């Protein structure tokens, strides 16, 4: 019982404070609301395919409006849920590449952790993430840097010229 309580508190470390209803019509959701829904659904371990497909469609519609921090929460949610939808990842990765230089510690960790969990290989994103992690090493939390490095290794990045 003590272990379970500790584990649940760890999941809640990055909880967004916006109260949401997971089954709200996705057409009514803005970028902030959909981000909170994804985070809450993943934290509560909701594995409803219809729910996640609806979220995916709406996120792809709103992808230009998502801030780097919101992308981090979305990617954390998709990694946590292990929702595999190739069209979602193909659609979201161009915006991730565009906004990657602005990713803070949590967003960068979430991106790499998600890619590792769903086994999504994109050499450009891996290389860009590694370069960004090295360039902003002082601004990254040590635990996030370790997860980024671990994910890069697990996904097979073998770039000698990064340093």
């Amino acid at each position: 019982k003590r272990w379970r309580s500790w584990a649940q508190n760890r999941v809640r470390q990055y909880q967004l404070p916006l109260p949401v209803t997971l089954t709200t019509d996705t057409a009514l959701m803005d970028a902030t609301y959909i981000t909170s829904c994804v985070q809450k659904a993943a934290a509560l371990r909701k594995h409803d395919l219809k729910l996640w497909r609806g979220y995916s469609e709406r996120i792809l519609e709103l992808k230009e409006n998502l801030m780097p921090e919101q992308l981090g929460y979305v990617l954390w949610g998709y990694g946590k849920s292990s929702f595999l939808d190739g069209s979602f990842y193909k659609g979201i990765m161009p915006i991730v590449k565009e906004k990657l230089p602005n990713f803070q510690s949590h967003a960068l960790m979430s991106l790499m952790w998600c890619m590792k969990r769903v086994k999504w290989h994109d050499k450009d994103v891996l290389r860009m993430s590694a370069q960004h992690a090295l360039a902003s090493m002082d601004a990254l939390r040590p635990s996030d840097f370790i997860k980024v490095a671990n994910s890069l290794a697990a996904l097979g990045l073998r770039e000698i010229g990064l340093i």
Side-chain angles (χ1 to χ4, degrees), residues 39-111:
Q39 192 275 332
K40 183 176 181 180
L44 296 175
R45 293 175 175 84
K46 301 294 183 190
H47 296 293
D48 180 7
L49 287 177
K50 184 179 175 188
L51 183 77
W52 285 99
R53 284 190 182 118
Y55 289 165
S56 297
E57 289 173 14
R58 185 63 179 157
I59 290 167
L60 291 178
E61 290 171 11
L62 297 171
K63 67 183 177 183
E64 302 292 334
N65 300 331
L66 290 169
M67 296 183 299
E69 180 185 355
Q70 292 172 327
L71 279 169
Y73 280 105
V74 166
L75 292 166
W76 180 87
Y78 275 79
K80 181 74 174 167
S81 71
S82 297
F83 180 68
L84 300 174
D85 181 8
S87 62
F88 171 76
Y89 293 104
K90 286 178 186 171
I92 200 75
M93 282 304 159
I95 214 71
V96 167
K97 288 178 189 177
E98 178 185 319
K99 296 187 179 190
L100 188 82
N102 299 321
F103 275 25
Q104 299 292 324
S105 183
H106 176 256
L108 184 63
M109 177 277 297
S110 297
L111 167 65

Side-chain angles (χ1 to χ4, degrees), residues 18 26-36 58 62 66 70:
L18 183 66
T26 55
L28 302 174
M29 296 182 184
D30 65 349
T32 303
Y33 200 89
I34 191 83
T35 300
S36 293
R58 185 63 179 157
L62 297 171
L66 290 169
Q70 292 172 327

Side-chain angles (χ1 to χ4, degrees), residues 3-13 15 45:
W3 166 258
R4 183 171 179 220
S5 174
W6 178 84
Q8 287 175 343
N9 288 336
R10 291 288 298 160
V11 167
R12 293 186 189 118
Q13 182 177 3
Q15 185 129 7
R45 293 175 175 84

